[in-house]
Amino acid sequence: MKILAVIGAGQMGQGIAQVAARAGFQVLLADADLTLATSAKRVIERAVARQVEREKIGADEARALLDRIEPSDTARLAGDRLAGEIDFAIEAIPERLALKQQLFAQLDASLPARTVLASNTSSVSITALGSVTKRPDRVIGMHFMNPVPVMELVEIVRGLATSDATLVQTRALAELLGKRSVLASDSPGFIVNRILVPMLNEAVFALESALGTAEDIDLAMKLGTHQPMGPLALADLIGLDTVLAICESLHRELGDDKYRPAPLLRRYVAAGWLGKKTGRGFHSY
Ligand code: NAD
């Protein structure tokens, strides 16, 4: 296992690419177009430069890490000189089933038959992604946590058709990337988001019901329950569009109204206030 493709160069794709390059993998980092992938690499360069300043990584190692990340785009991936050697493709595009299925069909048609197609989805069914490919045995969930370079966990999600060999290979990859893994069933939200996202959504209901200001709700949960950040700040970090998509998926798939998204969350997403990535969410950045 030497060459990885990361498809979707947003906040998660950037983190996965950085961690994989640090672990010595050659990484093709693809977005919908090359300009987006190139600017994503610049964001990684700044993150790595901060690590050098903090003496977490040496300057030579940082240069070598960055040299191992090659920006690309989805359409061009199959034509890349390294395409035939990609062992793993990790998808991190927006949390929409139709979009992900379209990409999985495209990757299945263009990448070598042995390549494992992994998804970093937070809530979409791995079985549903595998079903649009001719290799459902080599489709698996690899759910990294945000920020990827910091968070130790990867949830590994096995679809109905995922093979034992793919599972073993994926657990080995997680370990090579310096992560600990848990095996979660292919159920909406898996383990972490099934428990976390209803809490984040409840915090938005609390704000909507004026139980406190955004600052006080976050401070109360941070100090009162010993969490590193409050739920509204965490929702902002994840991205409110992603939080809404996970809530909708839990609500739709599990059919229980306790998962209904808070109306205020919908309004923020409709306004384009998506949290940290757009500079404004429940807090300002
Ligand atoms: P993001 O919006 O930051 O990035 C998504 C990227 O995908 C964008 O750069 C976009 O241009 C690109 N893209 C869209 N269509 C594409 C295509 N067809 N081919 C290639 N690139 C394409 O989103 P994110 O926060 O990085 O989330 C990505 C995935 O990771 C989602 O499935 C999300 O649920 C999951 N996830 C997110 C978090 C989080 O905290 N944000 C944590 C774990 C998992």
Side-chain angles (χ1 to χ4, degrees), residues 7-12 31-32 36 74 92-95 99-100 120-122 143-144 146 238 242 277:
I7 300 112
Q11 57 175 339
M12 294 305 290
D31 207 286
L36 288 169
T74 315
I93 69 169
E95 189 70 353
L99 194 68
K100 287 188 191 283
N120 181 50
T121 179
S122 308
H143 181 222
F144 291 83
N146 185 14
I238 293 170
T242 301
K277 64 183 164 185

Side-chain angles (χ1 to χ4, degrees), residues 31-229:
D31 207 286
D33 68 51
L34 189 58
T35 326
L36 288 169
T38 305
S39 51
K41 180 163 177 190
R42 265 185 238 117
V43 179
I44 301 174
E45 281 165 1
R46 289 198 289 276
V48 172
R50 282 194 298 275
Q51 288 192 328
V52 173
E53 276 163 27
R54 290 187 209 134
E55 298 181 358
K56 295 209 162 138
I57 175 175
D60 289 347
E61 196 186 347
R63 249 189 314 278
L65 179 167
L66 292 169
D67 282 349
R68 285 194 286 270
I69 301 177
E70 183 180 317
S72 182
D73 67 58
T74 315
R76 215 176 298 196
L77 206 55
D80 193 281
R81 69 191 194 293
L82 298 175
E85 296 168 56
I86 297 172
D87 300 297
F88 252 89
I90 305 178
E91 166 275 315
I93 69 169
E95 189 70 353
R96 292 206 298 276
L97 174 65
L99 194 68
K100 287 188 191 283
Q101 282 187 318
Q102 194 186 3
L103 178 67
F104 269 70
Q106 192 180 342
L107 294 176
D108 185 46
S110 58
L111 294 182
R114 67 183 170 78
T115 306
V116 172
L117 306 181
S119 175
N120 181 50
T121 179
S122 308
S123 62
V124 164
S125 160
I126 299 305
T127 307
L129 295 179
S131 72
V132 299
T133 73
K134 295 194 180 73
R135 65 181 91 186
D137 56 318
R138 261 155 293 149
V139 172
I140 194 159
M142 216 180 169
H143 181 222
F144 291 83
M145 307 291 131
N146 185 14
V148 183
V150 176
M151 301 293 281
E152 237 186 307
L153 183 75
V154 175
E155 277 183 302
I156 294 181
V157 186
R158 185 173 193 165
L160 280 182
T162 309
S163 69
D164 289 343
T166 301
L167 181 62
V168 168
Q169 229 180 317
T170 308
R171 286 204 109 147
L173 174 63
E175 201 169 316
L176 287 172
L177 298 182
K179 305 296 179 194
R180 293 183 63 182
S181 59
V182 292
L183 185 60
S185 104
D186 188 16
S187 167
F190 316 127
I191 298 173
V192 171
N193 284 323
R194 176 78 173 264
I195 298 171
L196 174 68
V197 168
M199 187 192 72
L200 303 186
N201 192 38
E202 198 58 36
V204 185
F205 274 117
L207 181 65
E208 202 165 5
S209 309
L211 297 193
T213 61
E215 287 69 26
D216 280 353
I217 289 170
D218 273 354
L219 193 64
M221 291 304 289
K222 194 173 149 181
L223 302 184
T225 67
H226 204 60
Q227 295 181 27
M229 61 169 67

Side-chain angles (χ1 to χ4, degrees), residues 239-263:
L240 301 186
D241 51 339
T242 301
V243 175
L244 176 60
I246 301 169
C247 277
E248 283 174 332
S249 162
L250 291 172
H251 190 204
R252 188 180 56 245
E253 302 295 326
L254 299 168
D256 188 329
D257 276 346
K258 76 178 178 185
Y259 298 112
R260 75 208 179 285

